[in-house]
Amino acid sequence: MSHRIPPKPDYFDKVPEGTCRWCGLEVGLTRTGRASKSRWHSACFKEYELLFWPSETRKAVWKRDKGVCNSCGVQCEKKGKNGWDLDHKIPLIEGDGSLSFWQMPNLQTLCKQCHKDKTSREATERAERRRMNKS
């Protein structure tokens, strides 16, 4: 299930102090003029957080979409049976492993019913493609 984990840069765990783990560039100097020991630019950390911390991703998508289902337009509740699901517009299973599948433009708010319908439709289409490829 590696398609369920966003990719990290190859150098992510190997950068020296003062080098951003995300973009690989120098972080810069501290306010006192010394070389920073940080391994993050603040914008890079925010991008990392949105990709790898599901609670932050959900907060950002909810805020952007204002809790409105992208399919039927119903106002979802944050929790409960009338809650919402975070959906990848282009499904991860169809992804090429690039970060674009995990970023905000590919994410949307769907009510539970619309998400269920979309997932079912996509699974049926994939099954049909597999059948066609076999024959």
Side-chain angles (χ1 to χ4, degrees), residues 93-118:
I93 194 71
E94 295 175 16
D96 60 4
S98 69
L99 276 180
S100 63
F101 286 87
W102 297 90
Q103 292 172 323
M104 293 294 283
N106 192 45
L107 302 176
Q108 65 182 344
T109 299
L110 289 181
C111 68
K112 298 273 185 193
Q113 187 60 52
C114 286
H115 190 228
K116 182 179 172 184
D117 294 346
K118 178 180 179 278

Side-chain angles (χ1 to χ4, degrees), residues 61-78 82-86 107-112 114:
V61 171
W62 177 268
K63 183 177 179 180
R64 182 197 64 198
D65 296 348
K66 298 179 176 80
V68 175
C69 176
N70 197 43
S71 183
C72 70
V74 71
Q75 176 65 51
C76 302
E77 295 176 8
K78 275 196 173 181
N82 296 323
W84 68 289
D85 287 329
L86 175 65
L107 302 176
Q108 65 182 344
T109 299
L110 289 181
C111 68
K112 298 273 185 193
C114 286

